[in-house]
């Protein structure tokens, strides 16, 4: 019998050698933690479909921000959940809007915490779409207007930057949003503020729990006329290419788990940093299965996060950020 001379297992003999040959690492600095802020007082309500994730009123933010900071996390992304909605999403670009107020407050609590602003209208519109809805004359059909929506998104981004946001993250999937927002920011003196574009954003059922959290489900129709078809990969390259030409600084792929191939492809094709959004249902599925005792939450979540890194993500937006920070800390001692 011939014995193998090449043995892959030699480099798996013990933890120390496995650590030496480890190709990818999840670092606490790679993680971006999403926070939902809401109007009202004394609110810290857990989102039923996202265990461990809360709605915070502004008066509850300080404790949370301090905890995040103490865990070593350096970046958050803010989602505003306003009380008042209308058909043009006025609260999205109001300087006194909930996201703007929260941004100012976070910057007061910890000026070094990097605040990303999600630039979209769907939480702020009564119809729940990411742009302006134009009804046909008979009122039966509706289109989401591209170019008129851009003007509102630009206003939103400028007011977010004015409030102190460090990164503008437009998630609306209107055509030309990077060009429009870039020139709006530049004209307003925010040429130094980067744009992290939700470049390749699919029309996905994995956003379900987020829409519960953000009260942002479309009230009619779906988002398929602006978000991408999950069946398409090459179109993702075109989406990303547009955003690169338009001046995006970071390219995001969303969702993450079912789209690792897209993360990989973008990393191979573009030299901008790549972000992965580990979206709400990816989080909730793991939480639910762990609650049932079917899986090991920490092991599965960390495997997923390192999977994003291996696929090519430089940074990961994840509801697991706080958990991961704790796990990473515990493992390093
Ligand atoms: C806003 C937005 C959405 C998410 C982030 N920004 C929802 C959507 O497009 O419907 C989803 C994030 C998640 O599921 O965690 N457009």
């Amino acid at each position: 019998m011939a014995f193998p001379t090449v043995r892959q297992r030699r480099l798996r003999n013990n933890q120390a050698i496995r650590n030496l040959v480890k190709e990818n690492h999840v670092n606490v600095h790679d993680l971006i933690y999403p926070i939902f802020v809401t109007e009202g007082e004394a609110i810290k309500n857990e989102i039923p479909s996202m265990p461990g994730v809360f709605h915070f009123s502004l008066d509850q933010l300080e404790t949370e921000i301090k905890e995040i900071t103490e865990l070593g996390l350096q970046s958050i992304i803010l989602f505003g959940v306003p009380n008042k909605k209308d058909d043009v999403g006025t609260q999205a670009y109001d300087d006194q809007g909930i996201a703007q107020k929260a941004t100012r407050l976070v910057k007061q609590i910890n000026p070094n915490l990097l605040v990303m602003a999600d630039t979209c209208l769907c939480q702020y519109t009564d119809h729940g779409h990411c742009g302006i809805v134009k009804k046909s004359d008979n009122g039966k059909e509706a289109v989401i207007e591209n170019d008129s929506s851009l003007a509102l998104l630009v206003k939103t981004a400028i007011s977010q930057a004015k409030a102190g946001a460090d990164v503008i993250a437009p998630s609306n999937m209107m055509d030309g949003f990077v060009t429009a927002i870039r020139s709006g920011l530049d004209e307003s003196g925010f040429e130094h503020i980067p744009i992290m574009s939700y470049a390749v954003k699919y029309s996905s059922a994995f956003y379900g729990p987020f829409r519960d959290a953000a009260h942002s489900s479309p009230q009619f129709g779906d988002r398929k006329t602006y978000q991408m078809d999950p069946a398409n990969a090459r179109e993702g390259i075109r989406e990303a290419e547009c955003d690169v030409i338009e001046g995006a600084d970071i390219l995001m792929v969303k969702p993450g788990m079912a789209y690792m191939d897209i993360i990989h492809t973008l990393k191979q094709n573009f030299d901008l940093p790549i972000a992965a959004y580990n979206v709400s249902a990816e989080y909730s599925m793991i939480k639910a299965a762990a609650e049932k005792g079917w899986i090991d939450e920490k092991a599965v979540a960390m495997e997923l996060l390192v999977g994003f890194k291996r696929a090519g993500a430089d940074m990961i937006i994840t509801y697991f950020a706080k958990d991961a920070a704790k796990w990473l800390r515990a493992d390093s001692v």
Side-chain angles (χ1 to χ4, degrees):
M1 167 180 174
F3 294 104
T5 47
V6 179
R7 292 179 186 267
Q8 309 299 339
R9 293 181 53 192
R10 287 179 197 128
L11 298 183
R12 296 176 196 147
N13 276 340
N14 54 54
Q15 191 58 51
I17 198 146
R18 288 194 294 273
N19 283 343
L20 286 174
V21 301
K22 199 182 280 293
E23 295 176 37
N24 292 285
H25 298 85
V26 177
N27 190 296
V28 67
H29 297 162
D30 304 329
L31 308 176
I32 302 160
Y33 188 56
I35 298 184
F36 296 97
V37 284
T38 188
E39 277 154 334
E41 271 171 40
I43 298 169
K44 185 184 172 189
N45 292 340
E46 192 168 34
I47 295 152
S49 53
M50 300 179 75
V53 178
F54 295 82
H55 281 138
F56 290 100
S57 54
L58 294 181
D59 56 342
Q60 303 294 306
L61 260 187
E62 184 161 357
T63 322
E64 180 68 7
I65 295 302
K66 291 204 162 139
E67 189 188 334
I68 288 168
T69 306
E70 142 54 29
L71 284 170
L73 294 164
Q74 297 186 328
S75 305
I76 61 169
I77 182 162
L78 281 178
F79 292 100
V81 186
N83 277 347
K84 272 185 286 167
K85 302 182 187 230
D86 59 29
D87 61 343
V88 288
T90 307
Q91 286 296 304
Y93 37 90
D94 186 331
D95 287 339
Q96 296 308 317
I98 181 67
Q100 286 81 352
K101 281 186 183 163
T103 304
R104 285 193 289 268
L105 182 59
V106 170
K107 283 299 190 183
Q108 251 172 30
I109 299 166
N110 179 1
N112 296 324
L113 188 65
L114 183 133
V115 175
M116 297 187 167
D118 179 84
T119 307
C120 198
L121 299 179
C122 59
Q123 285 116 268
Y124 302 91
T125 51
D126 49 15
H127 45 69
H129 279 287
C130 305
I132 289 181
V133 172
K134 182 139 186 265
K135 290 238 162 78
S136 62
D137 290 341
N138 62 15
K140 283 201 178 126
E141 279 152 36
V143 289
I144 316 305
E145 278 195 338
N146 197 84
D147 300 5
S148 58
S149 302
L150 290 179
L152 302 185
L153 292 163
V154 171
K155 276 170 58 171
T156 304
I158 293 170
S159 85
Q160 291 168 331
K162 258 201 238 160
D166 299 286
V167 176
I168 296 298
S171 64
N172 52 85
M173 290 298 278
M174 295 298 120
D175 284 326
F177 70 76
V178 178
T179 302
I181 290 174
R182 184 71 274 156
S183 63
L185 289 174
D186 292 354
E187 282 161 19
S188 309
F190 296 112
E191 64 289 329
H192 56 289
I193 298 292
I195 295 177
M196 175 166 80
S197 131
Y198 286 62
V200 192
K201 178 170 176 180
Y202 287 91
S203 174
S204 170
F206 284 89
Y207 307 149
F210 175 95
R211 291 180 186 173
D212 293 344
H215 308 145
S216 64
S217 289
Q219 297 304 300
F220 63 87
D222 51 41
R223 302 210 208 288
K224 289 184 180 152
T225 67
Y226 43 106
Q227 298 182 347
M228 273 182 57
D229 182 342
N232 295 355
R234 283 168 11 107
E235 187 187 343
I237 302 180
R238 278 172 51 76
E239 275 286 357
E241 211 163 38
C242 275
D243 290 7
V244 172
I245 293 166
E246 292 183 31
D249 300 282
I250 300 171
L251 299 173
M252 194 204 297
V253 175
K254 178 181 170 198
M257 205 160 101
Y259 299 87
M260 294 270 190
D261 58 326
I262 310 299
I263 297 171
H264 181 74
T265 305
L266 257 53
K267 185 69 166 214
Q268 303 299 309
N269 282 279
F270 302 100
D271 48 15
L272 290 181
I274 307 292
Y277 199 141
N278 175 206
V279 301
S280 53
E282 299 167 6
Y283 171 82
S284 301
M285 291 190 308
I286 293 175
K287 285 281 176 190
E291 257 173 37
K292 283 192 172 277
W294 291 347
I295 59 171
D296 175 339
E297 178 183 354
K298 171 184 169 184
V300 170
M302 291 310 289
E303 185 174 330
L304 181 59
L305 295 180
V306 84
F308 290 128
K309 295 294 300 279
R310 194 189 63 243
D314 298 286
M315 63 196 90
I316 308 162
I317 302 179
T318 178
Y319 305 97
F320 281 116
K322 281 170 66 179
D323 293 330
K326 289 176 200 159
W327 294 328
L328 287 167
R329 183 173 286 181
D331 286 352
S332 70
V333 289

